[in-house]
Amino acid sequence: MLTIKDLKDLHGKKVVVRVDFNVPQKDGKIRDDNRVRAAIPTIKDLLAKGARVILLSHLGKVDWKKLAKGEKTQEDIDAQMKKNNLAIVAPRLSELLGQKVNFVNATRGEEFDKACEALKDGEVLLVQNTRYEKGEEKNNPELAAIWAKQADVFVMDAFGSAHRAHASTYGIPEILKGEGKPVACGYLVEKEIANLMRCVEVKDSDRPYVAILGGLKVTDKIQVIDSLLKKCDYIIIGGAMSYTFRKAQGAKIGKSFLDEGALEYAKKCLEEAKGRIILPEDSVITDSFEPVSGRKISVVEGDLPEGFEGVDIGPKSAKKFAEIISKAKMVFWNGPMGVFEQDEFQAGTKAVCEAIRALKGKAFTVCGGGDSAAAIKQFGYSEDFSHVSTGGGASLEMIQNDGHLPGVDILK
Ligand code: ADP
Ligand code: MG
């Protein structure tokens, strides 16, 4: 696979770059510009080499499929398009690059072609949301051809979208490869792959390899658990997920979140893991998930009382988890230990962050997953990890598919 460093002669070349500018927004403003920042090294490098850079990205959802099924109306689609106008990214991108960013409010047609063809060396063009196009998520070949026509070179730097074979992530490089034109990954994708591959291809020197899993549903993570069970020495399980496992062991879990459909699976895992799965011994419990005044919050060991739900791991579990983590040479973490969005239930997730901070310089530590990465950032631990992935779903698919992602494999 070519990386951006292998692309030398770019003067006057039109380089189409798939970036991930799918930023969270609030009231028409960017709430967190992390994803824009993450793409800057690649864009700057290309501009410095005299390329004419054309940026493609999606933003949010446009439910074309639901429209076709009659589950959404044209008005719904119009509202989604209005909400997900990629123009909001242009000013921030311009600030971060320190140069003018052209924006074209079209994804095909005369206006689009003209904007691409008017670019001069070292100039950058941001194209409207790729999901304004019905064919984007279907990897429609005509659409991919329209975009590929503007590209002498394709660079993939949208790690967060690399698990999707869409027209902009898969269709374009497929066409370019067929034409003998270069396709490469950008700096962000290169870094993500290097770090996540290490969690997939485990070396002896990386053992003990400890996985920490949490978050909501077992069902969402079955393939990840299967894959990690094969590779890891220990799997620590916290979060809502742990109650399905504890129920599978025969414990009483009150009204904790239960993933009923995954009970049998959890039983099977516990049998096969032969003691390598570590579950919480105590829980922070409450009678009300909603933060109403006067709700009861306490800590219990073992069985949960009726009418209460577990919303975080307790201090005893935090200590036990930290002890196992302290011996690790490699850690992969996905999923918060509790309802970290509420102050009262953050301690477990913070304790795991602390345990990982203590490994700094001694072990290779990675976090993948949208909410876990958000928690780490919120609590100020980003710098204490060897790597915090920018791709939620993509990082998990990378783990479960042994390092394969469609948007990366097509570059090879
Ligand atoms: P990630 O995005 O990191 O893969 P998930 O999406 O699986 O993680 O899970 C994150 C969500 O799980 C958070 O919103 C958090 O509040 C919730 N959660 C964690 N522990 C519990 C719990 N004990 N009860 C209910 N929800 C929980
Ligand atoms: Mg999530």
Side-chain angles (χ1 to χ4, degrees), residues 251-287:
K252 294 199 176 78
I253 63 163
K255 58 171 186 178
S256 302
F257 182 88
L258 171 67
D259 195 349
E260 189 92 54
L263 259 178
E264 281 309 310
Y265 171 77
K267 264 185 208 154
K268 191 194 83 174
C269 279
L270 288 167
E271 271 162 33
E272 284 172 12
K274 298 194 178 62
R276 288 185 302 130
I277 291 180
I278 317 292
L279 294 172
E281 289 168 4
D282 58 351
S283 298
V284 176
I285 58 169
T286 180
D287 59 344

Side-chain angles (χ1 to χ4, degrees), residues 214-217 220-221 239-241 243 257 289 309-312 334-341 368-373 396:
L216 206 54
K217 282 173 105 180
D220 290 347
K221 310 258 171 93
M241 225 192 205
Y243 296 99
F257 182 88
F289 187 88
E309 63 188 298
V311 279
D312 195 7
N334 164 261
M337 295 293 101
V339 185
F340 74 97
E341 295 92 340
D371 292 292
S372 348
L396 294 186

Side-chain angles (χ1 to χ4, degrees), residues 196 199 208-217 221 224-229 231-242 245 276-280 312-313 317-338 346-359 363-373 375-376 381 384-387 395-396 399:
L196 290 164
C199 300
Y209 177 15
V210 175
I212 308 159
L213 294 173
L216 206 54
K217 282 173 105 180
K221 310 258 171 93
V224 177
I225 301 171
D226 279 343
S227 170
L228 290 171
L229 264 176
K231 297 181 200 299
C232 293
D233 299 291
Y234 293 102
I235 298 187
I236 291 170
I237 299 182
M241 225 192 205
S242 64
F245 279 87
R276 288 185 302 130
I277 291 180
I278 317 292
L279 294 172
D312 195 7
I313 57 170
S317 310
K319 199 163 161 246
K320 180 167 98 176
F321 289 3
E323 233 168 72
I324 296 166
I325 294 167
S326 75
K327 301 198 181 85
K329 283 278 165 3
M330 185 154 81
V331 173
F332 177 79
W333 181 15
N334 164 261
M337 295 293 101
Q346 292 176 345
T349 304
K350 281 185 180 164
V352 168
C353 287
E354 281 295 333
I356 288 173
R357 173 178 281 173
L359 285 179
F364 184 69
T365 55
V366 174
C367 171
D371 292 292
S372 348
I376 287 166
Y381 289 90
D384 299 314
F385 285 72
S386 309
H387 182 66
S395 59
L396 294 186
I399 298 292

Side-chain angles (χ1 to χ4, degrees), residues 69-131:
K69 282 196 236 155
E71 290 164 16
K72 294 256 175 190
T73 64
Q74 185 58 50
E75 286 77 62
D76 296 331
I77 299 298
D78 293 345
Q80 284 182 324
M81 285 171 71
K82 190 164 170 232
K83 181 173 162 237
N84 295 315
N85 189 327
L86 201 62
I88 63 156
V89 174
R92 187 74 195 108
L93 177 62
S94 171
E95 277 169 26
L96 291 167
L97 287 174
Q99 77 175 67
K100 186 180 164 213
V101 170
N102 302 288
F103 178 78
V104 59
N105 184 23
T107 44
R108 67 164 81 204
E110 202 179 327
E111 195 188 342
F112 169 75
D113 287 337
K114 264 197 188 148
C116 295
E117 278 144 29
L119 272 184
K120 300 201 178 65
D121 300 358
E123 286 187 354
V124 55
L125 172 71
L126 177 64
V127 178
Q128 183 56 280
N129 188 351
T130 54
R131 289 198 184 160

Side-chain angles (χ1 to χ4, degrees), residues 166-182:
H166 293 168
S168 66
T169 57
Y170 195 93
I172 303 175
E174 194 177 32
I175 292 172
L176 260 63
K177 269 169 71 178
E179 294 171 347
K181 292 177 181 161

